[in-house]
């Protein structure tokens, strides 16, 4: 709930009926209303990731709830198993991995702010989370080689989608001579998460 | 804002600072005259830099973002250049003075190490998967630990070995004193050849894997040796040894020290590089043999402990070896013998550690296959053919094994890893 006020003041999704003093009125509203509004915002961002059309909107209203949900979901799906990673390991890779990639972008002179970048990278993990869920359901089918092929296809589609979505968001914010230097860690990050999904979602 | 001016001055400072400007004097003896010695360029408290005094305060602040940003000041083209030249040895060219100075970067080493860690782990798992023909869905017990093990290995290599080289060059007051970051940068880029090599290591032919190691070692090792040698070859101690008219024992001792420094540094870096490559191959790609559900790749605690003392013992074993022999050929033989002996000396240590782990699992095959990678190369080539014959015998046996037993072993292994 500590994140809500900033997004509210910055958000373009104000209730048309609200006036500038509306932020103080939200203290009195029922908790369910607050949660529902936040969930709606997060859901809207999910939809925008799945259909990347409006670039600027997501960059301006950053929030970290979505990335947190997605990282926790991925960690729950991929942890455990025989010799697989623990919850902490997957969570560290996803969450702190996106922090490291963000730090890399900033150090190379990108103009995107830190939290916006973490937000974008986290939201674009959504296709991979969907792929992980898909792989879990595939595990209930029959022959191993078909299983592997389906998992490979699902993960590859998730990987491609994640790259495509994040490129759309990160495109304009990089210095020209360092594009490849900034893009490569993003690709590596999604590749590693895709490998984790392919290997351990079953 | 004065922040905007910092960037300009930063570059000017670094170009003038004594430890990043040796490129103008490459080939000449260059001694850091009156400037303050610094391990890391940019951290110097240069007050004689005139107009940069006001900016040098913020430049030195380790906690500011700008301090780290100055080490990421590279373009794509520069990174590509450094990458390509790190494993293409050119005659009488110095990698550091030609490509890294005046401005070392941390982008290359950081992302090359991360890529190497994940490529080793991913391709190691892939190789294991292919070798077992994807039998069953049960993963071997140490799958994800390949990532954590590889990261410890690579990180300690890239951070510690340049530090030792830096200390050596500083202690001997060598002709060219590279800064620590330059050496670290060179080492990071030199690891880049192992990335395609680790991908090619998936192919399961021993001779192919060994030839890959040899080729990659020759290429990147030559580049490393070139800049190490050009820094240490004018070590004044040799001149002192040759010219001095002291007692025979004193002259012999000084000569021995000069050889140790001049050749030991070169051979030491080559040896460590070789050890790293061999460690990758053995621990991540050849540790296949065990029955289903249990990989013979050593667990995390045994991996760094058996490797890093090994590396240190090997490198320190290189040091006394030349002192007893005068010719270079004997040096190389002594090095090889010492390296093999140190590996075999480590076997009992590794065995006892592995026995502690395997007592909870009661699997004596673990010991066999873990000690096998530690044998010398010739023995390994013969034992590899034995391994393969064992595989074919082992496979029909595996199918007759009880699934419950393997599950119990897996669970016990899981509990041991969680306890760790």
């Amino acid at each position: 709930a500590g994140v809500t006020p900033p997004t509210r003041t910055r958000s373009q999704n104000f209730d048309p009926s609200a006036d500038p003093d509306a932020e103080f009125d939200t203290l009195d509203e029922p908790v369910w209303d607050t949660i529902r509004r936040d969930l709606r915002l997060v859901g809207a961002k999910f939809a925008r990731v799945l259909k990347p059309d409006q670039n600027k909107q997501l960059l301006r209203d950053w929030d970290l709830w979505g990335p947190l949900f997605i990282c926790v979901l991925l960690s729950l799906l991929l942890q455990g198993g025989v010799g697989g990673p623990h919850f902490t390991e997957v969570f560290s890779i996803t969450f702190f991995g996106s922090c490291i990639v963000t730090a890399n972008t900033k150090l190379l002179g990108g103009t995107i702010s830190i939290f916006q970048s973490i937000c974008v990278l986290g939201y674009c993990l959504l296709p991979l989370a969907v792929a992980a869920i898909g792989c879990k359901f595939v595990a209930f089918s029959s022959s191993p080689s078909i299983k592997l092929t389906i998992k490979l296809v699902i993960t590859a589609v998730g990987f491609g989608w994640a790259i495509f979505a994040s490129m759309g968001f990160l495109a304009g914010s990089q210095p020209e001579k360092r594009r490849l230097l900034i893009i490569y860690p993003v690709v590596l990050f999604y590749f590693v998460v895709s490998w984790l999904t392919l290997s351990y979602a079953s | 804002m004065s922040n905007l001016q910092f960037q300009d001055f930063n570059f000017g400072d670094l170009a003038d600072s004594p430890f990043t400007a040796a490129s103008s004097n490459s080939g000449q003896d260059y001694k850091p005259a009156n400037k303050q010695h610094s391990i890391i360029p940019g951290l110097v408290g240069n007050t004689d830099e005139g107009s940069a005094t006001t900016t040098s305060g913020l430049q030195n602040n380790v906690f500011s973002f700008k301090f780290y940003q100055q080490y990421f000041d590279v373009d794509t083209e520069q990174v590509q250049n450094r990458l390509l030249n790190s494993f293409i040895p050119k005659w009488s060219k110095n990698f550091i003075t030609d490509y890294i100075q005046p401005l070392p970067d941390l982008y290359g080493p950081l992302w090359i190490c991360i890529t190497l860690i994940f490529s080793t782990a991913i391709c190691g798992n892939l190789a294991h998967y292919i070798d077992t023909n994807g039998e069953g869905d049960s993963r071997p017990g140490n799958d994800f630990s390949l990532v954590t093990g590889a990261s410890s290995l690579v990180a300690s290599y890239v951070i510690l070995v340049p530090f030792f080289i830096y200390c050596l060059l500083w202690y001997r007051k060598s002709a060219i004193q590279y800064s620590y970051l330059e050496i670290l940068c060179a080492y990071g880029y030199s690891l880049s050849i192992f990335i395609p090599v680790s991908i090619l290591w998936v192919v399961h032919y021993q001779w192919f894997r060994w030839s890959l190691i040899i080729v990659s070692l020759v290429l990147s090792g030559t580049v490393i040796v070139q800049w190490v040698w050009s820094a240490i070859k004018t070590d004044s101690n040799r001149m002192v040894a040759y010219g001095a008219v002291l007692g025979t024992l004193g002259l012999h001792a000084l000569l021995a020290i000069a050889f140790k420094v001049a050749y030991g540094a070169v051979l030491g870096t080559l040896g460590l590089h070789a050890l790293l490559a061999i460690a990758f191959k053995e621990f991540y790609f050849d540790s296949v043999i065990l029955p289903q559900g249990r990989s013979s790749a050593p667990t995390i605690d045994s991996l760094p402990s058996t490797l890093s003392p090994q590396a240190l013992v090997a490198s320190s074993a290189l040091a006394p070896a030349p002192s007893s022999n005068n010719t270079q050929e004997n040096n190389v033989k002594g090095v090889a013998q010492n390296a093999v002996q140190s590996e075999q000396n480590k076997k009992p240590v590794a065995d006892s550690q592995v026995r502690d782990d395997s007592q909870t699992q009661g699997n004596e095959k673990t010991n066999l296959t873990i000690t096998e990678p530690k044998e010398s190369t010739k023995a390994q080539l013969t034992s590899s053919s034995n391994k393969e014959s064992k595989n074919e015998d082992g496979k029909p046996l595996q199918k007759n094994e009880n699934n419950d037993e393997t599950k119990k072993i897996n669970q016990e292994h899981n509990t041991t890893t969680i306890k760790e």
Side-chain angles (χ1 to χ4, degrees), chain B residues 250-263:
Chain B
L251 190 62
H252 189 267
L254 282 175
L255 193 65
I257 293 175
F259 271 119
K260 174 187 94 151
V261 167
Y263 292 111

Side-chain angles (χ1 to χ4, degrees), chain A residues 29-43:
Chain A
E29 70 179 4
V31 174
W32 176 238
D33 279 355
T34 312
I35 294 181
R36 199 171 44 190
R37 183 169 45 228
D38 283 342
L39 282 181
R40 222 174 342 137
L41 284 175
V42 169

Side-chain angles (χ1 to χ4, degrees), chain B residues 7 70 114 125 153 171-172 236 261 269 300 309 358 367 403:
Chain B
Q7 291 292 26
Q70 67 190 354
I114 294 182
N125 286 328
L153 192 59
Y171 181 68
R172 304 296 308 169
S236 64
V261 167
T269 56
I300 288 305
S358 64
N367 293 337
N403 279 337

Side-chain angles (χ1 to χ4, degrees), chain A residues 82-83 85 89 93 104 106-108 147-148 177-178 180-181 184-185 188 191-192 195-196 200, chain B residues 65 68-69 72-76 79 107 111 114-115 118 122 125 129 137 139 141 143-144 414:
Chain A
V82 182
E89 287 166 346
I93 288 186
N104 176 70
K106 287 296 289 178
L107 284 169
L108 282 174
K147 214 173 5 179
L148 179 62
K177 293 208 284 187
R178 301 178 180 179
L180 194 58
L181 297 187
Y184 171 69
L188 181 66
F191 183 74
V192 168
W195 168 69
L196 284 177
Y200 297 113
Chain B
F65 192 68
Y68 297 104
Q69 201 165 14
F72 277 75
D73 195 9
V74 279
D75 294 333
T76 311
V79 171
Y107 176 90
W111 289 107
I114 294 182
T115 310
F118 283 111
I122 292 177
N125 286 328
Y129 185 75
D137 262 344
R139 297 281 163 179
D143 219 22
F144 191 74
N414 269 345

Side-chain angles (χ1 to χ4, degrees), chain A residues 83-86 89-90 92-93 192-193 195-196 199-200, chain B residues 113-125 141-155 280 283-284 297-300 303-304:
Chain A
H86 300 146
E89 287 166 346
V90 185
S92 311
I93 288 186
V192 168
V193 178
W195 168 69
L196 284 177
S199 306
Y200 297 113
Chain B
C113 291
I114 294 182
T115 310
L116 181 64
I117 289 168
F118 283 111
S119 79
T120 312
I122 292 177
C123 294
N125 286 328
N142 293 315
D143 219 22
F144 191 74
S145 68
L146 291 193
V147 174
T148 48
S151 58
S152 318
L153 192 59
V154 171
F280 273 138
F283 290 117
Y284 296 106
T299 54
I300 288 305
L303 178 61

